[in-house]
Amino acid sequence: MCVDSELPHLDRPFDYEVPEKLVGVVEAGSRVRVRFSGRLIDGVVTGLADGSDFEGRLLEIKSSSAVPSYTPDAIAFADAVARRYGGSLWDVLRLMAPPRVAGVEKRDWALAAHDGQAFHEAHENLAPHADQVSLPADAVVRGARIVWEAVPDPARRHGLPVEALLAPAAAVAAKGLTAIVILPDARALTAAAEALTRAGLSRWSARSGGHFTVLHADDGPAVRFGSYLAAMRGHARIVLGTRPAAMQPVPNLGLVVMWDEASSVYEDPHAPYPHARTLAAMRADEAGAGVLLAGYAPSVEAMSLVAHGWAERAGVPRGDVRTGTPLVTVVDDARREAEGASGWHWMPASVWRRARAALEDGPVGIVTPRAGYVRATACARCGEWASCIACGGPLRRDSATSPLHCAECGADHRDWHCAECNSPATKQLRQGVERIAEQVRAMAGEAPVALSAGAVGTLADGEVTAGFVVATPGALPAVAGGYARIVIVGADVPAGGALGAELQAMRWWLGIAALARPRGDGGEVLAVGELPPAVREALVGWNAAEAAWDAYAERADLALPPYRRAIRLWGERPVITLALSETLEGERLERHRDIAVVDAAGGAILLVTRRAAQGVVDVLRRRQQEFSKAGDGELRMRVDAPLDPVS
């Protein structure tokens, strides 16, 4: 029995007796309620035995789910994930399964007959799409592990080549195996479900069954839990889902597909913070399944899998890349300077003329990386930044009529005056998407202008047919046939300049560029901003994979992640000191040849070779449990942690 507890030293099995009324109901994987330390808590049955080594009187299980929520293989996998990330089994099981719904468990879960013919026909419909974009679908069906640098969908229905990605999934399902397709968001899920429907497959439902399930929290608890059980029991052989789908228990796993694997949404924010890419790799190793990690800008972590020989790198022939992608033009500071004063407007005059002219051919997208209205202001007379007199934070506006207020403490500044020249006049800096849309409406005349952003609502794919669409990067909807032109306002790298910022910028802007028409149809992307050379080359040449490969080589030279694994420790200084005094292979961790210790805010970061990483995690987990049992202090650990600035 695994019980719900936050205390590390209670991360171990406990024995309970199955009462007579629950015999035949309780199985391995059942979710139960048990009495622990005088109160009722949740638990998961990890196995059944005829007897117990416990010498005292066993407590009885109080209640149980009608059907198991986990398979024995799923529990074993959860245990492996907990060990890799130095976490508890309960935390992993909690992330694996959605909350149970008793009414769903009472349905008839007898396995339906496998409809291999429907999957075979679906594969025949989808396979030509994979061929069009040179996806090595046959290889992944046979068990290959591929990192694929993608090109846009030739049909321009969506911002991703969804039919191509689903072709190997249908082929695997036709063989009686299960394919898991992991997607970043609800929009991608919708696109994939529609593509499978067009190919002749149906979505599973409790009433009519079906061929594929969709796992998404927005569906509500009953539908979500029903889809989870259907996938676990093999009722549907293709599983579509967001990040949690990486841990979805399924029978006979044959393939894991992961789109846009460089996206930060795949890193779980809950302990023990597993990454879906790592989970996909672990599952493939366990099941001997194929893996397809795909995206326009592969991550440096994906390239590390290639460098270590775990995966192969695949791309599209350069001639086909040029044919299938838009022309990308970077309007940098030199070009803006050559244009004169109008070049330094947020929308340079030459760029605006080309955007207006493209309206005759179809919709035009205008993308800005900043949400909100105005993110910062300055004195219109002397240029001094407008800051809060209370805390010094930057002042911003939420609308054209709202007063200035502090972004840090929220204080209003209705009567602000510049501290340098006493002028009350302000100018807007770092304009957000709502302010940009306001100005585009004033400039566009009779042309329609639509706004798509998280705070005001995102537009659905295919909803816009003409005019301008002003959006933040993740909210730009796809349009039928692709945008005639896309303008990126303020193209740059993510703020902060952290490790991997340039690669993240490539992912942002290539994802936007994929929504434009190919250059042969007049499609063009105009990126207004000063971009680093590597980002510029990746955009213009559509070769972000090469940049990721070079980045991995640089990190290997510097012994930085992912060449080494980062383990972040938090705690009081005596706790950290004792943890680092633990030994591995006869050496103290702080002096081990395979470990570099870096001081960081609130603790330390250990950069560990891949050879020694699991041993270090095991040692630190044992020490963490000892601290917890003795009550001598709290040691917190995060494996594969981001590299924050050191203290």
Side-chain angles (χ1 to χ4, degrees), residues 27 29-33 43-45 63-70 90 93-94 97-101 105 225 228:
E27 303 178 49
S30 294
R31 289 199 261 197
V32 298
R33 295 280 285 174
V44 173
V45 178
S63 62
S64 171
S65 58
V67 296
S69 291
Y70 309 90
W90 176 263
L93 291 174
R94 175 176 53 84
R100 58 180 288 255
V101 178
E105 294 176 342
F225 187 52
Y228 172 87

Side-chain angles (χ1 to χ4, degrees), residues 114-152:
H114 174 61
D115 190 359
Q117 182 61 31
F119 288 114
H120 179 73
E121 293 174 359
H123 174 252
E124 290 184 339
N125 292 330
L126 294 168
H129 297 275
D131 294 338
Q132 281 185 295
V133 293
S134 302
L135 172 65
D138 292 342
V140 295
V141 170
R142 293 193 300 268
R145 297 175 292 209
I146 302 292
V147 176
W148 182 52
E149 183 183 18
V151 292

Side-chain angles (χ1 to χ4, degrees), residues 184-278:
D185 51 38
R187 177 172 288 173
L189 279 180
T190 300
E194 290 175 351
L196 289 177
T197 301
R198 287 193 298 270
L201 302 179
S202 61
R203 177 176 176 175
W204 180 90
S205 68
R207 177 175 298 177
S208 59
H211 303 97
F212 67 92
T213 57
V214 179
L215 307 176
H216 194 259
D218 289 349
D219 289 331
V223 174
R224 175 71 178 87
F225 187 52
S227 298
Y228 172 87
L229 290 180
M232 185 180 82
R233 291 174 170 266
H235 286 245
R237 290 297 181 174
I238 298 178
V239 179
L240 307 178
T242 50
R243 180 183 62 233
M247 288 194 286
Q248 169 68 48
V250 296
N252 303 317
L253 180 64
L255 174 66
V256 181
V257 177
M258 189 172 176
W259 171 254
D260 195 16
E261 52 80 27
S263 173
S264 60
V265 302
Y266 289 126
E267 186 173 353
D268 203 301
H270 305 98
Y273 315 106
H275 197 290
R277 184 195 311 107
T278 301

Side-chain angles (χ1 to χ4, degrees), residues 587-603:
E587 294 184 69
R588 291 162 63 104
L589 296 183
E590 59 190 347
R591 299 174 184 171
H592 199 284
R593 61 188 179 277
D594 288 332
I595 304 171
V597 181
V598 181
D599 287 336

Side-chain angles (χ1 to χ4, degrees), residues 81 107 182 193 226 239 295 304 315 433 491 557 594 613:
V81 173
R107 295 171 183 163
I182 310 169
V239 179
S304 75
V433 66
D557 290 340
D594 288 332

